[in-house]
Amino acid sequence: MFESETANNLNRKNKIYILSTTAVMTAVTCVLAPMSIPIGPVPISFTNLAIYLSLYLLGWKMGTVSYLMYLLIGAIGVPVFSGFSGGLGKLLGPTGGYIIGFIPMAIISGLVIEKYNNRIFQFVAMVLGTAVCYALGTAWFCVIMDVGIAAALGMCVIPFIPGDIAKIILALMVGPVLRNRLRKAGFIN
């Protein structure tokens, strides 16, 4: 009887952690994403850093759900996208492909982060996820802005590579530390 109660309490505590951390990481994304640095048609955003940290704390499924909640908040018009913008117009605009591209980025990166503790694997997965985001975003940008791939890469990808690598490295350093501290505190199994 006592073991059953303990298991139920642990399960309840884990569910509360997951729901509350998902909400907190959605809020963190809502705070970090609008703080962008405009350098052209596509701003430097901290959205991907928030996503990477969510993946460490929540795993790929709930980390992706956290991002989808952020996306829904922005789509209904709350100014949580880069430059404190929101609404469906932002999703249909030149940067919309990148905003949508964060979904497969979260899934690809999150699957590896959740399954492997090897930092090299995690780094490669985040780079691959970012590349997929770049591909989707750049394709959409080319269509909306009626520019060629070379011009789009010069405006939307190449200038962002160093910053995105820095955000990946920061996530690799901070994410596992946060996850381990939450494990030691008993919040994560």
Side-chain angles (χ1 to χ4, degrees), residues 25 48-58 170-171 174-175 178:
M25 292 312 297
N48 51 351
L49 177 61
I51 294 168
Y52 295 139
L53 294 176
S54 296
L55 297 171
Y56 276 105
L57 300 179
L58 294 164
L170 181 60
V174 173
L178 289 173

Side-chain angles (χ1 to χ4, degrees), residues 57-119:
L57 300 179
L58 294 164
W60 78 270
K61 288 179 187 173
M62 294 311 292
T64 302
V65 166
S66 172
Y67 178 73
L68 290 172
M69 289 170 49
Y70 155 81
L71 188 62
L72 179 62
I73 291 167
I76 62 171
V78 178
V80 295
F81 295 144
S82 63
F84 296 94
S85 59
L88 289 176
K90 183 74 170 185
L91 294 174
L92 299 174
T95 61
Y98 298 101
I99 296 169
I100 299 300
F102 285 132
I103 299 168
M105 184 193 82
I107 294 168
I108 292 165
S109 302
L111 284 167
V112 174
I113 288 170
E114 189 173 313
K115 186 168 178 149
Y116 300 100
N117 284 326
N118 184 307
R119 302 264 174 104

